[in-house]
Amino acid sequence: MSLKRRDYQSCFKKYLDMFSDYMGASHHWNSGYDYNLRSFDRYCAEQFPDDHCLSQEMVDSWCRKRDTEANLSCHTRQCCIVALVKYLRARGLSNVHGPDRPRKGRSSYIPHAFTDEELHNFFHACDSIHYKPGHRRQCDKLKKLTTPVIFRVLYSTGMRTNEARLLAKNDINLEEGIISITQSKGEQQRYVAIHPTLLPILRQYDKKVAELCPDRNYFFPSPRGGCLSNTWITAVFREMWDKYNSSHATAYELRHHYAIVNINSWQDMGFELYDHLLYLSKSMGHRSVESTRNYYAIVPALADTLTEKTADDTDWILPDIEEQG
């Protein structure tokens, strides 16, 4: 996959083009890299107009923590520069070093504790989308088809929202029931098993959306033929959530819910608990088991609000694709 040239301005713009193409071809390019690399390029072009190559001063000055930044924000902003420097040094194209990175610190954020009633309300809203009077455009049809399915994928797999919206059509094996996640936060490809109740939903969705977008590249296509945007995910989740719920929640918190419900189900386990934690960590794409263990800090506070679900109680979460039109 070759990315289009981005009109970089700095003295090392050819290296930025090479790096952008490399990251795109390895499926690690994202909007955050694009924005911050452009910002770094403009900064170097403006502040070091007479320089002829990338310098340590450029890296250190742009990556320095700003007064308005938290440590985590600065750490995130630096990611693309760290990757760029690593790329150039590995090929003998530069001898600069990566920036000093601030400690991320422990987040005090506590994700929303979904209740059974809230989830029931949310998926009911997803299943009850109606066309506006006089509007049966392709974007309306796609929204009606996609909304109940993509959020069930997030709910039942614990995928990141970006991973779900960037799934290529061929990333989902509807015969074997396996999702291959290649465009992820980490650098390693991973596989996620599709729950048996979700598999027929995905198969029906695939058939129906193929009628609207026969040449699509993404499993969840946008009306313009590309992938769904972050803005679409955020806006549609908020629209569906607010129809019947008064609390605040985000689509990404479905991932937290997935982890917490799994961990809560292990409370009576002994030595096999670590094995389950390892499997969950790999399934969610965490770089280490420690990242998954962080959920233990919030599980006790949420355990009382998370209702145990049995097979008989989950019928409400399955949409009737045949009626989606």
Side-chain angles (χ1 to χ4, degrees):
M1 170 176 137
S2 178
L3 298 179
K4 64 180 180 180
R5 289 295 179 257
R6 299 176 182 275
D7 299 322
Y8 294 123
Q9 307 167 29
S10 60
C11 58
F12 52 92
K13 58 184 179 181
K14 67 176 182 179
Y15 292 153
L16 296 181
D17 280 329
M18 292 166 56
F19 173 70
S20 300
D21 284 344
Y22 169 78
M23 295 297 283
S26 57
H27 302 293
H28 292 134
W29 188 259
N30 58 53
S31 58
Y33 270 48
D34 187 35
Y35 176 83
N36 286 312
L37 205 62
R38 285 176 180 274
S39 175
F40 178 62
D41 172 66
R42 288 194 302 270
Y43 173 83
C44 293
E46 293 170 0
Q47 299 297 320
F48 303 92
D50 299 325
D51 285 32
H52 301 290
C53 62
L54 179 68
S55 68
Q56 193 68 51
E57 185 180 1
M58 293 176 183
V59 170
D60 292 342
S61 59
W62 188 84
C63 290
R64 189 174 296 117
K65 184 175 178 292
R66 300 164 184 171
D67 294 339
T68 56
E69 280 184 321
N71 282 4
L72 180 58
S73 298
C74 180
H75 196 278
T76 301
R77 179 170 60 87
Q78 293 175 349
C79 283
C80 66
I81 307 305
V82 172
L84 171 66
V85 169
K86 182 179 179 180
Y87 170 86
L88 295 177
R89 287 180 63 86
R91 290 157 181 77
L93 300 174
S94 177
N95 60 359
V96 301
H97 295 278
D100 293 330
R101 309 195 74 181
R103 295 179 63 86
K104 290 184 179 180
R106 185 175 293 277
S107 174
S108 59
Y109 165 73
I110 297 179
H112 178 71
F114 291 99
T115 66
D116 188 81
E117 181 181 4
E118 287 177 332
L119 290 169
H120 187 289
N121 290 341
F122 172 70
F123 285 112
H124 174 65
C126 291
D127 297 337
S128 305
I129 295 177
H130 298 290
Y131 297 123
K132 295 179 181 179
H135 287 76
R136 289 183 65 88
R137 299 173 302 174
Q138 180 162 311
C139 61
D140 298 316
K141 295 177 181 178
L142 277 176
K143 179 181 178 182
K144 184 175 175 65
L145 273 176
T146 303
T147 299
V149 179
I150 192 170
F151 290 121
R152 281 178 170 87
V153 169
L154 294 175
Y155 172 88
S156 65
T157 66
M159 277 195 286
R160 300 176 177 92
T161 52
N162 280 344
E163 293 171 346
R165 69 182 185 83
L166 293 174
L167 285 172
K169 180 183 176 182
N170 295 331
D171 285 340
I172 300 185
N173 186 328
L174 296 175
E175 296 299 322
E176 302 295 332
I178 299 294
I179 299 176
S180 174
I181 301 176
T182 57
Q183 302 202 49
S184 179
K185 181 179 178 180
E187 297 184 356
Q188 294 185 347
Q189 180 179 13
R190 73 180 193 277
Y191 300 92
V192 176
I194 301 172
H195 193 276
T197 58
L198 180 63
L199 189 55
I201 296 172
L202 293 178
R203 287 171 177 164
Q204 292 180 59
Y205 170 81
D206 183 57
K207 291 179 180 178
K208 286 186 169 291
V209 80
E211 297 174 2
L212 291 176
C213 308
D215 299 321
R216 81 189 200 274
N217 294 317
Y218 292 93
F219 191 80
F220 297 111
S222 74
R224 298 180 179 179
C227 64
L228 296 173
S229 66
N230 273 319
T231 302
W232 190 95
I233 296 288
T234 300
V236 175
F237 179 90
R238 172 56 53 198
E239 179 187 353
M240 298 300 108
W241 182 262
D242 288 345
K243 277 189 176 182
Y244 304 110
N245 295 312
S246 58
S247 57
H248 176 76
T250 66
Y252 198 89
E253 287 171 325
L254 291 172
R255 173 173 166 85
H256 299 309
H257 179 78
Y258 174 84
I260 291 166
V261 168
N262 271 278
I263 292 175
N264 269 339
S265 69
W266 308 336
Q267 290 180 354
D268 297 327
M269 291 184 178
F271 292 108
E272 67 269 31
L273 181 119
Y274 181 83
D275 290 337
H276 282 74
L277 187 65
L278 179 61
Y279 298 149
L280 179 63
S281 179
K282 295 296 185 183
S283 172
M284 297 186 70
H286 287 153
R287 292 185 178 181
S288 68
V289 175
E290 292 300 317
S291 297
T292 316
R293 286 181 59 185
N294 289 337
Y295 284 104
Y296 276 108
I298 58 177
V299 165
L302 301 177
D304 292 339
T305 63
L306 294 174
T307 305
E308 289 187 12
K309 296 179 175 61
T310 66
D312 294 334
D313 294 330
T314 56
D315 289 342
W316 55 266
I317 205 168
L318 305 178
D320 188 348
I321 299 294
E322 295 299 337
E323 297 181 0
Q324 292 298 309

